[in-house]
Structure formats: structure tokens, C-alpha cells
Amino acid sequence: MTLGARAAAGALLFGLAVVGGVEGQDPAGTRSIRGVAYDSLRMRPLAGALLSLERSGLSTISDDSGRFGFGSLSATVHVVLMQHDALDAVGVGFVRGEADLRGSDATLRLAVPSFRALWARYCPGSSAPRDSGVVFGVLRATGTGAGTAGLVQATWLDVAFDRKAGISQARVGGSVEAAANGHYAMCGVPNGALLQMRARTPHSSTDWIDVAHVAPGITRRDLLVASRADTGRRVPAAGVVRAPNGQAVPRARVQPLGGAEVIAGDDGTFVLRDLRPGTRAISVRAIGSEPSTGSVDADIADTSRAEITIGRVAMLDSVLVEVSIVQRRFLAELQYRQSLGIAKFVDSTSVERLGSVVSALRSRANVRQMKDGTLEIGARCIPREMAVWIDRQYIKREDVPAELRLVNVSAVASIEIYEHRGAIPPEFFAPNFNERMTNCAIIIWTKRMLP
């Protein structure tokens, strides 16, 4: 599979011709339009679509069977426009159809474009695959919302099976350029992959965020980067934490990447007050549920909003704890990195036996703690070149000494030590476009991240 960049030239417009049919003449000489709204991606009727007659002000909503109708119309050609969230999700503003009523009533079929049609639009020159699709979107700048050029990166875990070697896993991916208008497309992304994505410009970058790419294989994710004028600003964001059934989750712990944790209210709402502008990662933990991740597009124009759905509530008994897909993915990636031998690992037993995280680090690598509490690895990596992470949360350099003291050694599950830049997984470089300054990394995982 290959990754290709295909810049969309603007909003997509798909038109469908009239499917003729005589339904009988209105006694007063007027005509009617009957039709069906259909989702060609998911092969089912499209309920809740907004249908409107151009230049007439008439509109209606498709029912649960996708059916809609207009009556008492003049005997002329009418243009019907269809809008729906399903169209927005695939980058199509609306679908347009014409109904010619000059001879009789008419029947219309308006549909979300098929996978083949969308693939041809975003990935021209190649045949539509069966097991992969396209991830696309628009890279926008804060403030104006205008599209901007940049680099969009994505990685995912690729699982393969060989009769001799058995199951193997590797983190793969690539990058594409967003065009001057901000449009980008990644072609050949396997269906079912949980992507880690981010965008970069010469003066800003987003956080790495999780994006699920599932069948039918058309995923839209717009990304927001700070404009040059906004890189030093801080903005607020508000949101709500919900359970999979839509109910609000009270008292959840919400934390932006590298930021301070806040506690959601009894109604699940929360406010983050010190975010860097752009698309930012958020982690959420709640009693009785699994750790979850989300994101917010933090803009300067107004308080941004996010809705985060936590992992399903764990059904606990004395024997079994149901494990989430996110946790299984985390464990598989951790084991894979360990099998590569590119990092030094410290297990939970060693950390607890040695009594501190720093002592555990010293036991596996040439780690020194300076007078100010910061860490160095060997002679090659000084504090300002080190990225320290705890449970996917980047720790600012000035906060490292305090955070390490706060870590409960009995809660540590594993520690990864990367002594060389080339071995560091891309998602664990320091954020804020500081990859060039990241030459080593320490990644601490607590037991709440493990199944």
C-alpha cells in the first residue's frame, strides 16, 4: 500500500439524474416529486436528510426509509438539493438532482457517493481497493480558519501473519503535503487501523491524536495549526465527557497533553484554560471505566468545544476484567518495541524493589540526576534534549523533577529508555516542533494503562 497526496480542489458536487416515473396527474395541473435518499457507502436508506427545492424555499426531511416528497409544483424543471452529516463526513457539501415535471410527476434517487466515486476523486489513477481507503481533510490556521500548506503525518500498527514467522507487528505510516488551500489526502490506509496523526508547519504543529479509520474506508479529519501570530498564545476550551450510551460522566479526570489535570463536574462538563492553539490531545480517566483519549481544536476566535466519549465501563468480578481495544493496542505496541531491542526497559518489579524511578533508570542506563533534579543520559543527551512522558502525557522540562517525585513506584508498570534519537518512536518526540532537539526519551507507563 502506498500513501499519496491528492489535494481536493474544493467542495465536491455530485449530481444524479431523474429516474422517470408517472405517478398520475394532479387534477389542478400541478405536479409532484417523490424520491429516496440513499447512503451508497453503507448500503442503506439515508434518514434525516434535508431536501430543499432550489429558489423556492420549500424543504422537507427524509423519513426512516429515506423517502421524501414535494407536491403541488409547477410543471417545469426543479432542482432538488440534499444535505446531511454523512455528506459532510466525506467532503461533499450537497448532492443535486433535477426533476423534469413538464410531462409528468417524477421520481428521484439522491445518494451519498459510492466508495469508488470518492476514491476516484481523492486518489485518481488507481483502482479502488477492497481492504483500505482514504483519510482526508483540511489543514486550517487558527484565527481565520483559512487553509494552509503543511505536512500531515500518520502512523498505525500493521499486523501480518506468516506461516513460518507467525504474527508480526510493525508501526508503519508516512506523510503527505497539504496543498496551499489546506486540502490533503492519504490513500491506501488499511481499514480498521487506529491512526496516530498530526500536522506540522514551519512554525507550529498539532499534538499526535488518535483517529479511527474504519470501513467503508472514507475518513475525514480536519486539523488546526496555530498561525505564526498565535504560536505564543494560550486559549480556553470547554467540553463534556460522555459514556458510550450518551450519558454524562461525572467527576472524570481530564488532562491535555503536557497540561494540568482538571476534574469534570457532576454533569460531565469541564473547562481547560491554558491550551496552546491548534489540535490538542486530551486524555480522560473515570472511575469504573477505561482510559480514553480525545482531542479538541483549540482556536483563538472563541472558546472551543469538545465532546469525549470514554471507553466502555469495565465489568469487574473476582476473575475477569474486560480489556478494551485501546489497552490491547497499547500492550501490543509496548511488547513490539521491547522485541526490537531499540530501547532499554525497566519492569515494575525492579522499580518497586529499587524504591524510586531515578534509581530504576540508573539500574539500566547511564542516567544521572543533576542538582536541579533534571536528568541526563550519558554524555550525549542533556536535559534540554530529553523528552519525558508519563502515560502519553509530555512532561515539560521544568516539571520533570516534581513529576518524578510524585510517581508512586508501586504504580509503575514499565519504563522505556531511548538513548539515541534514531530509536525514538515518532509519537514520543517532544511537541511544539522541537523534534530536532529531541535526542533521547524516557517513557513511564503506570499500571492504569495496562490490561
Side-chain angles (χ1 to χ4, degrees), residues 197-221:
M197 293 185 64
R198 75 164 176 181
R200 299 168 55 185
T201 65
H203 50 269
S204 182
S205 68
T206 71
D207 292 340
W208 286 96
I209 62 169
D210 288 345
V211 177
H213 176 66
V214 297
I218 302 292
T219 299
R220 178 174 184 170
R221 185 49 166 105

Side-chain angles (χ1 to χ4, degrees), residues 314-335:
M315 304 302 293
L316 303 176
D317 58 29
S318 59
V319 180
L320 177 64
V321 177
E322 192 167 330
V323 180
S324 71
I325 294 175
V326 173
Q327 287 176 303
R328 290 197 296 269
R329 177 176 66 88
F330 159 73
L331 186 58
E333 292 182 4
L334 185 68
Q335 292 171 339

Side-chain angles (χ1 to χ4, degrees), residues 5-45:
R6 300 291 186 269
L12 298 181
L13 179 63
F14 287 80
L16 294 176
V18 174
V19 179
V22 178
E23 308 232 351
Q25 302 279 344
D26 187 288
T30 58
R31 304 282 189 266
S32 64
I33 299 173
R34 295 291 179 266
V36 174
Y38 192 73
D39 188 341
S40 299
L41 278 175
R42 295 166 181 82
M43 307 299 288
R44 64 191 183 195

Side-chain angles (χ1 to χ4, degrees), residues 45-359:
L46 187 63
L50 173 64
L51 290 304
S52 58
L53 287 183
E54 198 172 50
R55 297 188 298 273
S56 75
L58 297 176
S59 63
T60 187
I61 303 294
S62 62
D63 63 18
D64 291 343
S65 300
R67 298 185 181 278
F68 64 90
F70 295 95
S72 301
L73 302 176
S74 59
T76 184
V77 177
H78 294 267
V79 175
V80 182
L81 304 178
M82 181 174 78
Q83 297 173 279
H84 194 276
D85 288 345
L87 291 169
D88 293 336
V90 296
V92 179
F94 54 86
V95 167
R96 180 180 187 273
E98 290 187 355
D100 189 346
L101 302 184
R102 288 173 295 186
S104 65
D105 296 345
T107 301
L108 275 178
R109 183 180 185 274
L110 298 177
V112 175
S114 68
F115 176 78
R116 288 182 180 275
L118 292 168
W119 178 269
R121 174 71 185 192
Y122 291 116
C123 309
S126 60
S127 300
R130 293 183 177 181
D131 59 351
S132 61
V134 56
V135 177
F136 73 100
V138 182
L139 180 57
R140 302 186 187 278
T142 55
T144 65
T148 183
L151 186 72
V152 179
Q153 300 171 283
T155 69
W156 60 88
L157 194 65
D158 183 60
V159 180
F161 176 77
D162 181 83
R163 289 185 177 181
K164 294 183 178 179
I167 297 176
S168 62
Q169 301 178 89
R171 180 155 284 279
V172 299
S175 61
V176 296
E177 295 283 349
N181 62 2
H183 290 264
Y184 75 90
M186 292 183 170
C187 303
V189 180
N191 294 339
L194 182 59
L195 312 181
Q196 289 187 321
M197 293 185 64
R198 75 164 176 181
R200 299 168 55 185
T201 65
H203 50 269
S204 182
S205 68
T206 71
D207 292 340
W208 286 96
I209 62 169
D210 288 345
V211 177
H213 176 66
V214 297
I218 302 292
T219 299
R220 178 174 184 170
R221 185 49 166 105
D222 295 348
L223 297 164
L224 188 69
V225 291
S227 63
R228 188 182 298 275
D230 296 336
T231 52
R233 299 183 63 172
R234 292 294 183 269
V235 295
V240 61
V241 181
R242 297 191 184 279
N245 62 3
Q247 292 184 342
V249 177
R251 314 301 294 171
R253 307 173 74 89
V254 182
Q255 186 172 25
L257 184 64
E261 183 180 81
V262 301
I263 306 298
D266 291 336
D267 59 354
T269 60
F270 63 88
V271 177
L272 304 171
R273 302 187 183 280
D274 193 30
L275 291 176
R276 292 175 292 118
T279 299
R280 300 299 163 205
I282 301 174
S283 66
V284 178
R285 291 176 291 122
I287 295 175
S289 68
E290 300 160 349
S292 301
T293 60
S295 60
V296 61
D297 295 327
D299 208 344
I300 65 167
D302 198 359
T303 300
S304 304
R305 298 199 62 82
E307 185 166 309
I308 301 175
T309 301
I310 63 171
R312 58 191 177 187
V313 175
M315 304 302 293
L316 303 176
D317 58 29
S318 59
V319 180
L320 177 64
V321 177
E322 192 167 330
V323 180
S324 71
I325 294 175
V326 173
Q327 287 176 303
R328 290 197 296 269
R329 177 176 66 88
F330 159 73
L331 186 58
E333 292 182 4
L334 185 68
Q335 292 171 339
Y336 174 71
R337 292 197 297 270
Q338 192 166 8
S339 69
L340 291 178
I342 58 176
K344 294 179 178 178
F345 279 74
V346 185
D347 61 25
S348 58
T349 303
S350 298
V351 178
E352 195 161 2
R353 175 173 53 82
L354 293 168
S356 73
V357 171
V358 174
S359 297

Side-chain angles (χ1 to χ4, degrees), residues 358 362 365-370 374-381:
V358 174
R362 287 173 177 163
N366 185 15
V367 175
R368 299 186 304 277
Q369 188 168 32
M370 313 307 290
T374 57
L375 303 177
E376 287 187 357
I377 298 180
R380 299 183 180 180
C381 191

Side-chain angles (χ1 to χ4, degrees), residues 384-445:
R384 70 170 180 269
E385 298 174 345
M386 182 185 301
V388 177
W389 299 77
I390 301 177
D391 288 349
R392 292 197 185 281
Q393 305 300 307
Y394 175 72
I395 308 302
K396 296 178 182 178
R397 186 171 68 246
E398 60 270 23
D399 295 335
V400 168
E403 290 290 342
L404 292 181
R405 287 195 298 270
L406 291 173
V407 173
N408 183 351
V409 292
S410 63
V412 174
S414 181
I415 302 176
E416 302 175 57
I417 307 169
Y418 293 88
E419 300 178 284
H420 306 287
R421 171 185 171 83
I424 303 173
E427 60 264 37
F428 294 118
F429 282 113
N432 291 332
F433 206 63
N434 287 331
E435 291 85 351
R436 297 188 184 94
M437 295 299 294
T438 305
N439 290 320
C440 56
I442 294 173
I443 305 165
I444 300 171
W445 302 104

